[in-house]
Amino acid sequence: MKNGYIFLIALTAAACSKPAGESIQPAAGCGEGATGIVVSDAWVRAADTTRPATAAYLTLCNAGPEPDVLVGATSSAAQAVELHETVRADDGVTRMSPVAHVELDPSTPVMFAPGGAHIMMIGLNESLEAGATASLTLQFEHGPAITVEAPVREAAPGAEQHH
């Protein structure tokens, strides 16, 4: 593991930590009449280029009849994009861990949310300010790539701001 990656984990672990439990959780419903992979509730945490990374969150639901797999993502806003999950180790320490892919079973939504699964945007090419949008292209094993224009926010929708 590279030292820069360890540094990245240390900087973002507090923002991405959560209580014990699975990090990739089913969410509610695909939406009636939907087909293919449905993307909802996408957003990116605001960050400027002095930060090594930020995270994107969304919900994916496979409304198709066959399983699919999220195998990666890209963004012009970042030098690298990785799929991550947050896990609590036996020693009680919460850590982020890259994952190679995320299974998308039919009619089983998967939520990427603060403290759980997320999409890391590493090495920002531009500042991402609240109110702007960030483009993410999601890549799937079977289905076509999907590009999402995600709003940039300071915190999770509905989360209280602490100053």
Side-chain angles (χ1 to χ4, degrees):
M1 191 179 286
K2 296 180 182 176
N3 286 339
Y5 190 69
I6 293 169
F7 179 70
L8 170 67
I9 290 172
L11 284 176
T12 57
C16 297
S17 63
K18 74 168 201 155
E22 293 293 317
S23 65
I24 299 177
Q25 299 286 333
C30 286
E32 198 168 319
T35 60
I37 303 297
V38 177
V39 181
S40 61
D41 305 321
W43 67 282
V44 174
R45 187 176 303 276
D48 63 34
T49 55
T50 63
R51 293 191 56 191
T54 193
Y57 309 100
L58 48 81
T59 299
L60 295 176
C61 188
N62 180 359
E66 299 294 325
D68 205 341
V69 180
L70 176 66
V71 295
T74 60
S75 176
S76 62
Q79 295 171 27
V81 179
E82 297 178 354
L83 306 176
H84 278 218
E85 65 180 344
T86 304
V87 294
R88 183 176 294 255
D90 291 340
D91 63 4
V93 176
T94 303
R95 293 183 175 89
M96 291 188 312
S97 176
V99 294
H101 63 274
V102 175
E103 302 283 335
L104 300 171
D105 291 326
S107 301
T108 306
V110 176
M111 183 184 299
F112 292 72
H118 52 280
I119 300 171
M120 289 300 300
M121 300 172 67
I122 302 165
L124 297 178
N125 295 322
E126 58 192 66
S127 291
L128 298 173
E129 297 179 8
T133 59
S135 180
L136 284 169
T137 299
L138 307 173
Q139 300 150 337
F140 301 92
E141 186 173 280
H142 303 292
I146 298 173
T147 299
V148 178
E149 296 299 324
V152 178
R153 299 186 175 131
E154 290 294 335
E160 293 182 34
Q161 294 286 340
H162 298 283
H163 298 284

